[in-house]
Amino acid sequence: MAQAAGSGRRAFLIRLVQGASLAASAGLVWTYVLRNQARASPFALRPPGALPEAEFHALCIKCGQCVNACPYETLRLATAWEPMPIGSPYFRPREYPCLMCPDIPCKEACPTGALSAELGDIEDARMGLAVIDTENCLSWQGLRCEVCFLSCPVKGKAISLERRQGVGGGLARIVPWVHSDHCTGCGVCENRCPTDEAAIRVVDPSLVQGRMGAHYRLRDHDPAGLMVFDTPLEAPPADRGAQKKIPGLDALNLGDWP
């Protein structure tokens, strides 16, 4: 009888220790998940039509319908081990970019409106903004590449080719230029970039775009989108050749330099 009671106590203690170990392990895993969520990246490339991040997470139920609807296996759901909220849909353009389906099936599959139904034209999507690393871009370093321009689904609008003077007066360069008002953030350019690490990447626009302010007065813009400020109010004389030539350094003291 005593032997049976001892065996029962030993079995009870073994189960108690096993249960405590299991609870501790589960607690450690859950703690890791929570800490991972706390460090989650504030920006991830969402499907076309995604609302601003806070509104998106308020409506997205992590059902995966957009992932299932994507015909190119671009979209995926974040796991507990990735630096973004668990179960949220996203894509990595260096691996699988958004190929901009005209009918936007991922948006149509969304049951909650986290992917806005107001997006009617895929070219109006703003998933992110492509930014060029000019220090590593082949074209900006004087080589002929143009892969991002040729592969861009909105070619000629989102990415154009511009002529730039060579360094030190050398040969002119033909370089890609991204236009933020047309870039959809699809990531095809990042996917096709031939450098070891992509020299053009899609990022959160708020990280790279400033805001000028309405009180600045601009005259025009050049084809590459650079600002051209107003000309000085007092323009220099039109015909400098008609001015009297003064020899020597005295000419430096006239004060008529623009």
Side-chain angles (χ1 to χ4, degrees):
M1 194 72 178
Q3 184 177 2
S7 299
R9 282 195 296 270
R10 281 195 299 271
F12 171 75
L13 291 175
I14 291 173
R15 286 195 296 269
L16 182 63
V17 171
Q18 290 174 338
S21 300
L22 182 61
S25 300
L28 290 174
V29 171
W30 185 243
T31 300
Y32 173 81
V33 170
L34 292 179
R35 287 181 178 177
N36 195 46
Q37 287 296 95
R39 294 193 301 267
S41 171
F43 176 71
L45 288 176
R46 303 298 181 192
L51 298 175
E53 198 72 359
E55 299 176 47
F56 175 79
H57 286 299
L59 290 175
C60 179
I61 58 176
K62 284 72 175 178
C63 63
Q65 293 300 312
C66 57
V67 176
N68 294 332
C70 179
Y72 299 108
E73 299 182 354
T74 296
L75 297 176
R76 63 178 73 181
L77 294 179
T79 66
W81 321 112
E82 294 177 297
M84 57 193 67
I86 300 174
S88 58
Y90 76 104
F91 68 98
R92 292 177 176 169
R94 190 62 167 168
E95 300 174 10
Y96 298 102
C98 173
L99 296 182
M100 297 180 58
C101 305
D103 54 346
I104 322 178
C106 53
K107 180 206 70 173
E108 298 296 332
C110 181
T112 64
L115 304 181
S116 176
E118 296 180 1
L119 179 64
D121 187 344
I122 188 61
E123 291 191 9
D124 293 331
R126 294 295 180 267
M127 294 168 272
L129 177 63
V131 175
I132 299 173
D133 175 7
T134 58
E135 294 181 350
N136 290 286
C137 173
L138 299 180
S139 293
W140 277 89
Q141 294 306 311
L143 302 176
R144 290 300 297 269
C145 177
E146 305 169 10
V147 169
C148 57
F149 168 75
L150 295 173
S151 63
C152 178
V154 199
K155 182 168 57 180
K157 295 181 180 179
I159 300 180
S160 62
L161 294 178
E162 309 294 339
R163 186 177 184 274
R164 287 289 179 270
Q165 183 63 40
V167 178
L171 296 176
R173 296 171 293 174
I174 304 298
V175 300
W177 195 276
V178 177
H179 301 272
S180 60
D181 51 343
H182 291 289
C183 178
T184 65
C186 66
V188 172
C189 54
E190 180 177 339
N191 176 261
R192 304 291 170 81
C193 182
T195 55
D196 291 343
E197 295 289 339
I200 181 170
R201 297 191 179 188
V202 180
V203 301
D204 182 353
S206 66
L207 298 179
V208 294
Q209 284 187 303
R211 181 172 298 175
M212 185 184 301
H215 59 286
Y216 289 102
R217 184 168 61 93
L218 301 180
R219 183 190 66 183
D220 200 354
H221 293 75
D222 73 1
L226 298 177
M227 295 184 301
V228 178
F229 291 97
D230 289 333
T231 54
L233 295 179
E234 296 182 2
D239 186 6
R240 284 187 173 271
Q243 296 183 11
K244 181 180 179 181
K245 295 186 179 299
I246 301 178
L249 298 179
D250 291 340
L252 299 177
N253 300 319
L254 295 178
D256 63 345
W257 297 93

